[in-house]
Amino acid sequence: MKIIFRGVVQGVGFRPLIYRIAKELGLHGYVLNKGGEVEVVIDGDEKKFIEEVKKRLPDVARIDEIIVQPYDASYDDFKIIESKDGHREFAIPVDTAICDSCLKEIFDKNNRRYLYPFTNCTICGARFSLIKDLPYDRENTSMDEFKMCNECLNEYKDAMNRRYHAQTISCPKCGPYYTLYGRDGDAIAIKNEAIKKFAEYMDNGYFGVIKSWGGMHLVCSVDKINEFRKWYGREQKPFAIMVRDIKTAEKYAYISEEERKILLSKARPIVLLHKRNDALENASPGLPNIGIYLPYSALHHILFHYMKKDALLMTSANLPGQPMVIENERAFDLNADYYLLHNRKIVNRIDDSVLKIWRGRKFFIRKSRGFIPSFLPSPHNKKVIAVGAEENSSAAISINGKIYSTQYIGDTKNYDTMLYLENAIKFFLKLFKMDSIDAIVVDLHPLYNSRKVGVKLAEEYDVELMEVQHHWAHAVSLLLDNGEKEAIVLTLDGLGYGSDGMLWGGEILHASFENFERIGHLKYIPLIGGDAATKDIRRIVFSIFDQFGEEIFFYGSEASLMRRLAKESPLTSSMGRVLDALSCYLGICTKSTYDGEAAMKLEKYLEEGKEEYEMEAKVGNGIVDTVDLFRQLHENGVENKANAAYSFVKALIDALSNIAIDYATRRGIESIGITGGVSYSLPLVSMLEENVKKAGLHFLVHNRIPNGDNGIAVGQNVIGGINA
Ligand SMILES: [Zn+2]
Ligand SMILES: [Zn+2]
């Protein structure tokens, strides 16, 4: 019999497992990695064999498909054969946190890998970040520069060893190592001495850079966060905190059972947890949540072993707007005090993943390390490249009925980040050996840099460019995430280019893969000075209040100037901007120093608030009058910010859900969902859920595809493939 295993079956200890089971069952034949799948030939009962494989599958492995074919051959032994090319796209292993067995070894004084920061085995360690090509063999990774010593080679060849065919096997004798550098780039110490010294510097309050698996992190002790903010020039932006262990995490945040599970999972994402106290308030000023994650590489564990403190600020190291630094030479541009760098190349940059949990569902803010590459089954069979939007971007590439998301790319307004997008796409095309493409999808926005990448690829592959409206793509991502084909979707976000040339963002769409209809939206308001209003939110509040004859924030000649500017300004129906305006009017946040800040800072107030004010949004022709809602708020007067915020948002969500529910009921549509960056606001999602459930309809939220623009490319891809 020939058995083909598809799924995550390479670089996860799958072949050694097959080997052991075959030996135990006395079977003859072979196992080999063929492209991205594993091919097994055995000369006996395949049922028992497959059953055993499934039973003993390592945590990190996943079987998606098993194909059994009759195969006539006789062998007198069972062998692991060298890898061959074949179907390539099925499995690219993800970076996987150190396993318990390896962890035990690095803290065992008698083990030859005692405190060795690159310790890994067949089921754990860096993967995607160091893969240059498939099949997943050592020569196709950045470990190819390190020649195995005899001891490692013996482990590698021993079928009963945990490191049998572990492609990235190494030890202190033969593997990569860390070097500690000072500001001027001079080496201070190497190997364990380097880590130990760096740990001391962190305890003593210095700012450092650590090279990890998929990029560099800026780090400092949590009691230096305020100083770090001044130095790094990020006044308010939330920073992630890596803590020693789960117990430490509990000191700072409330952790539900689901959150604990995902924190401890092999992906080890940053999880946004509810703050327990003010201890780390300055890690995410004004936000109810704090981003916490646990050590995932051997280095992190060793660092905490040497450190006295139990938590470190640890954030992606990049110059403003640029992708995370991955090259040693460029690290020194970061201007930190100390640098803990290793001598293994990072092949694929991959940022830490960030998510929050809502009723057991994962809301990915950033889906990257530990999760990418991964795919979703596609409703089409075309080869499509979708390049995403602009900020928080990623691309999505489909082949053989599967849609793969690239890693998180970032803000492609920046030239280097745009190049990163292009390179990330090309890497996937290389892995999949795709030499023809059926369609290339870009956002409708005429000025996005991602469009340039799309245009270039379209020329290279000689295919036409397809434009897809931003919010439709969001809605389709939500449909695919939920296995639905049609729904009414509240698509609420910052800004996206609308079919009418306006800036949309507070939309109710009747969406399917084939088309969409805009059945409602928030009233257009002028965004005075365009981008300037996104930063200086007072401009938005001014333009709203001006419509009911109230002057606010700008007076006299300044007000006249604003009015003049308003006439030439773009119009927007963005929910994000309305929440910004609310946050600003209530005095919660008047200036936005990072994307979504004002709206995010509302969340705490929405959590605490009650429906106290009688407010009802006027609706006509599916248009929700946000201006009048502000008038009501202003006339009521604000005694309690939280209650005012809650009442306002509740009235807004009620109006939007009424339109959606009414339409769905009339048309016999069973599902209503929410997507877009605003849907990270959990109180707001809960308000909508209540209304939808009350109406007896099915409520859709995200779980696998990011709610925000990091998830838009998947929707673009589906639309591209269906309509190409
Ligand atoms: Zn391991
Ligand atoms: Zn070795």
Side-chain angles (χ1 to χ4, degrees):
M1 284 294 162
K2 182 186 271 183
I3 309 162
I4 313 274
F5 290 95
R6 288 176 176 165
V8 181
V9 288
Q10 287 190 10
V12 291
F14 194 73
R15 282 180 304 171
L17 175 73
I18 297 282
Y19 179 89
R20 268 172 248 150
I21 293 171
K23 284 277 184 192
E24 283 169 26
L25 298 176
L27 298 168
H28 304 139
Y30 66 83
V31 55
L32 93 135
N33 278 353
K34 209 170 176 184
E37 56 196 31
V38 169
E39 181 180 297
V40 182
V41 165
I42 47 169
D43 59 356
D45 176 18
E46 83 275 3
K47 277 210 187 78
K48 171 87 185 125
F49 175 77
I50 291 172
E51 204 178 285
E52 276 302 306
V53 172
K54 282 183 176 167
K55 214 161 63 191
R56 287 154 65 174
L57 199 67
D59 275 358
V60 286
R62 192 192 68 227
I63 298 173
D64 296 322
E65 211 177 328
I66 300 174
I67 300 163
V68 181
Q69 300 160 346
Y71 189 83
D72 219 14
S74 65
Y75 296 87
D76 47 15
D77 197 2
F78 193 88
K79 278 196 180 124
I80 294 186
I81 303 183
E82 285 303 302
S83 302
K84 274 190 196 152
D85 257 8
H87 272 287
R88 296 169 64 86
E89 74 276 13
F90 284 100
I92 315 156
V94 298
D95 299 297
T96 304
I98 185 168
C99 74
D100 291 343
S101 309
C102 286
L103 199 55
K104 234 181 245 155
E105 286 180 350
I106 62 170
F107 292 118
D108 172 4
K109 282 198 175 97
N110 299 315
N111 192 285
R112 67 190 196 92
R113 290 191 176 82
Y114 178 57
L115 299 181
Y116 180 55
F118 294 89
T119 302
N120 74 93
C121 68
T122 41
I123 64 159
C124 76
R127 292 287 190 277
F128 175 73
S129 54
L130 49 69
I131 288 179
K132 293 191 266 191
D133 204 352
L134 287 175
Y136 172 63
D137 283 332
R138 192 179 183 94
E139 71 258 26
N140 284 332
T141 73
S142 57
M143 283 302 291
D144 64 342
E145 291 173 22
F146 302 92
K147 198 175 173 311
M148 274 184 237
C149 68
N150 280 336
E151 281 152 296
C152 284
L153 193 62
N154 285 338
E155 290 175 329
Y156 183 87
K157 285 202 226 148
D158 175 4
M160 292 302 154
N161 193 288
R162 245 176 61 241
R163 294 195 173 84
Y164 179 56
H165 279 221
Q167 302 302 331
T168 55
I169 187 173
S170 68
C171 74
K173 231 183 187 174
C174 66
Y177 60 88
Y178 275 92
T179 301
L180 177 67
Y181 299 90
R183 247 172 201 293
D184 48 12
D186 288 346
I188 297 169
I190 61 163
K191 302 195 172 174
N192 270 17
E193 196 50 30
I195 305 172
K196 196 173 164 193
K197 276 219 162 95
F198 187 83
E200 276 168 30
Y201 288 130
M202 290 305 102
D203 272 336
N204 290 326
Y206 289 96
F207 300 150
V209 169
I210 295 178
K211 184 178 181 184
S212 185
W213 287 347
M216 309 243 182
H217 287 106
L218 278 165
V219 284
C220 76
S221 165
V222 287
D223 44 24
K224 289 287 165 189
I225 292 178
N226 290 343
E227 289 85 344
F228 182 87
R229 285 192 178 282
K230 271 189 210 118
W231 169 75
Y232 195 36
R234 311 277 160 102
E235 209 183 304
Q236 296 286 318
K237 199 173 181 271
F239 291 125
I241 306 295
M242 182 177 277
V243 295
R244 182 184 292 276
D245 50 27
I246 190 83
K247 248 171 115 185
T248 311
E250 270 167 343
K251 229 169 71 183
Y252 299 117
Y254 295 103
I255 303 173
S256 70
E257 210 30 63
E258 284 143 352
E259 287 163 342
R260 171 193 304 273
K261 243 164 100 191
I262 192 88
L263 275 168
L264 288 164
S265 71
K266 294 294 174 196
R268 295 282 154 97
I270 296 166
V271 183
L272 302 187
L273 301 166
H274 219 273
K275 286 174 188 165
R276 189 183 282 276
N277 46 47
D278 284 344
L280 292 178
E281 172 57 27
N282 58 1
S284 53
L287 303 179
N289 300 312
I290 179 168
I292 286 185
Y293 58 150
L294 296 173
Y296 55 86
S297 73
L299 171 82
H300 298 145
H301 287 280
I302 296 165
L303 192 61
F304 277 111
H305 165 79
Y306 283 128
M307 272 178 48
K308 291 189 191 77
K309 304 231 164 106
D310 60 8
L312 279 173
L313 175 155
M314 194 177 288
T315 187
S316 297
N318 57 281
L319 299 166
Q322 300 242 352
M324 179 166 53
V325 177
I326 55 171
E327 305 91 354
N328 286 12
E329 313 81 71
R330 295 199 56 191
F332 297 99
D333 297 344
L334 292 161
N335 209 17
D337 299 317
Y338 294 100
Y339 300 82
L340 188 60
L341 308 179
H342 61 69
N343 57 341
R344 181 172 76 192
K345 267 192 206 107
I346 295 173
V347 180
N348 294 302
R349 175 189 291 111
I350 188 157
D351 284 81
D352 297 314
S353 294
V354 185
L355 58 84
K356 52 162 98 167
I357 300 282
W358 182 80
R359 315 236 159 118
R361 309 278 291 194
K362 292 189 271 297
F363 287 2
F364 282 98
I365 289 108
R366 206 155 74 189
K367 191 172 184 181
S368 225
R369 180 188 48 76
F371 296 99
I372 298 291
S374 63
F375 66 83
L376 285 172
S378 164
H380 63 75
N381 251 319
K382 302 257 174 62
K383 290 187 229 167
V384 178
I385 303 171
V387 299
E390 177 142 278
E391 286 177 9
N392 297 313
S393 72
S394 69
I397 294 139
S398 60
I399 180 168
N400 291 342
K402 296 181 172 65
I403 302 178
Y404 285 84
S405 297
T406 66
Q407 67 270 46
Y408 166 86
I409 303 294
D411 184 357
T412 51
K413 267 204 287 294
N414 176 282
Y415 180 76
D416 287 335
T417 313
M418 181 185 79
L419 290 185
Y420 174 30
L421 173 69
E422 186 181 339
N423 291 334
I425 292 171
K426 292 213 159 140
F427 178 73
F428 276 77
L429 298 181
K430 180 178 107 177
L431 284 190
F432 299 157
K433 288 206 166 152
M434 281 165 80
D435 35 27
S436 70
I437 302 293
D438 299 315
I440 288 173
V441 186
V442 299
D443 191 279
L444 196 56
H445 200 298
L447 298 176
Y448 279 176
N449 263 341
S450 57
R451 172 181 288 261
K452 290 184 192 154
V453 174
V455 168
K456 199 171 158 200
L457 288 167
E459 277 167 15
E460 270 172 47
Y461 287 95
D462 195 24
V463 278
E464 255 178 75
L465 210 59
M466 263 179 85
E467 293 175 332
V468 170
Q469 202 281 324
H470 192 91
H471 302 93
W472 182 23
H474 266 309
V476 168
S477 284
L478 182 72
L479 292 178
L480 189 77
D481 203 340
N482 287 278
E484 300 270 344
K485 291 195 166 73
E486 180 189 26
I488 307 299
V489 182
L490 272 65
T491 314
L492 311 177
D493 66 359
L495 299 171
Y497 198 82
S499 314
D500 58 359
M502 307 291 170
L503 297 171
W504 293 9
E507 315 304 313
I508 310 172
L509 306 183
H510 174 202
S512 69
F513 298 159
E514 289 80 17
N515 50 45
F516 78 98
E517 190 190 345
R518 189 190 196 198
I519 60 173
H521 61 90
L522 301 184
K523 183 177 179 167
Y524 284 128
I525 48 172
L527 204 53
I528 299 178
D531 267 354
T534 303
K535 293 199 176 73
D536 183 1
I537 309 158
R538 297 174 311 162
R539 288 168 177 241
I540 305 173
V541 183
F542 176 87
S543 75
I544 291 169
F545 277 60
D546 196 45
Q547 292 185 47
F548 52 85
E550 288 278 346
E551 264 186 5
I552 186 167
F553 294 128
F554 301 96
Y555 306 94
S557 60
E558 267 193 332
S560 310
L561 173 67
M562 285 298 152
R563 278 186 200 103
R564 249 197 337 271
L565 283 173
K567 290 204 182 85
E568 302 148 12
S569 292
L571 294 176
T572 183
S573 55
S574 161
M575 177 77 163
R577 294 298 90 88
V578 167
L579 295 179
D580 282 352
L582 177 62
S583 182
C584 177
Y585 173 71
L586 294 175
I588 295 164
C589 178
T590 51
K591 270 206 165 59
S592 184
T593 65
Y594 61 87
D595 185 40
E597 176 178 352
M600 278 162 72
K601 286 185 172 170
L602 259 185
E603 190 168 343
K604 203 169 86 178
Y605 293 85
L606 294 178
E607 278 179 357
E608 291 162 5
K610 289 193 294 284
E611 195 174 0
E612 184 195 75
Y613 299 84
E614 286 279 330
M615 294 179 81
E616 199 183 331
K618 282 190 197 159
V619 179
N621 289 330
I623 298 170
V624 179
D625 191 342
T626 46
V627 172
D628 185 67
L629 211 50
F630 272 103
R631 185 193 57 77
Q632 292 176 37
L633 180 70
H634 190 61
E635 278 175 11
N636 281 335
V638 176
E639 271 168 41
N640 177 309
K641 282 183 192 180
N643 291 348
Y646 187 95
S647 306
F648 183 100
V649 172
K650 180 79 169 71
L652 205 50
I653 289 296
D654 284 350
L656 289 168
S657 45
N658 283 345
I659 298 170
I661 290 165
D662 181 53
Y663 187 94
T665 315
R666 276 191 286 119
R667 300 284 186 105
I669 297 161
E670 286 163 0
S671 304
I672 293 180
I674 183 167
T675 183
V678 169
S679 68
Y680 292 121
S681 171
L682 304 187
L684 191 147
V685 174
S686 299
M687 284 178 199
L688 180 64
E689 185 208 26
E690 200 189 320
N691 291 350
V692 172
K693 292 231 158 128
K694 234 188 257 164
L697 297 168
H698 187 46
F699 185 52
L700 309 179
V701 291
H702 281 285
N703 188 37
R704 297 174 292 178
I705 303 171
N707 309 24
D709 282 4
N710 190 205
I712 210 165
V714 177
Q716 290 177 337
N717 189 300
V718 171
I719 295 166
I722 294 278
N723 298 288

